[in-house]
Amino acid sequence: KFDPKMLSALDLAFVGDGVYGLLVREMLARDGSRPVGELHRMAVAYVNATAQAAAYDRIAPLLTEQEQAVYRRGRNGGAHPPKNADPGHYAKATGLEALFGYLYLNGAQERARELFEAITANKENAKQN
């Protein structure tokens, strides 16, 4: 059987990056039709390291012990930030992505959606420009 716990933190973050990005795109699409360039700019405002670090801060109190452990694994997973990224924000963003990847691979999509809804409850606070 497949056990997501056996994946590296960066493997979980790789999957979680896609999951989180898809949730952002779905949210934006539900808000109504816009030009693709505008949708892309809006999505980037949610999926950059600074915005994802702030997203983690919003959901941290809601996480179970297991979810916190997965987040910490991702945060400490050794990802090297791009030159223009704050290392602290990048580590937190990687932890958040690892968490979303773990939830998805464990079949806990509803929990991932619940956490995403908590992140985006106030959309203006959910993104950092």
Side-chain angles (χ1 to χ4, degrees):
K1 287 187 171 185
F2 174 73
D3 183 1
K5 290 180 189 173
M6 301 306 293
L7 293 176
S8 75
L10 296 181
D11 289 337
L12 292 173
F14 173 75
V15 173
D17 176 58
V19 172
Y20 195 82
L22 181 60
L23 290 168
V24 167
R25 288 170 181 241
E26 179 183 331
M27 175 193 68
L28 294 174
R30 288 178 185 271
D31 284 347
S33 185
R34 291 187 172 86
V36 173
E38 183 179 344
L39 287 170
H40 176 73
R41 283 188 299 281
M42 293 171 74
V44 168
Y46 287 93
V47 297
N48 66 68
T50 301
Q52 287 181 323
Y56 167 74
D57 290 339
R58 278 189 294 286
I59 63 168
L62 306 175
L63 300 181
T64 66
E65 286 183 33
Q66 177 64 36
E67 291 167 346
Q68 281 284 0
V70 171
Y71 163 78
R72 284 191 301 274
R73 262 185 71 205
R75 182 194 64 203
N76 299 332
H80 298 288
K83 290 181 182 180
N84 65 340
D86 175 275
H89 288 165
Y90 193 78
K92 286 175 95 173
T94 303
L96 180 78
E97 290 173 346
L99 172 61
F100 274 82
Y102 177 80
L103 292 172
Y104 178 83
L105 292 171
N106 267 313
Q109 288 86 356
E110 285 306 311
R111 177 63 174 158
R113 285 185 180 282
E114 177 184 315
L115 293 174
F116 186 76
E117 287 174 12
I119 289 167
T120 59
N122 182 341
K123 289 181 189 175
E124 288 309 308
N125 292 330
K127 59 184 174 178
Q128 300 291 319
N129 295 327

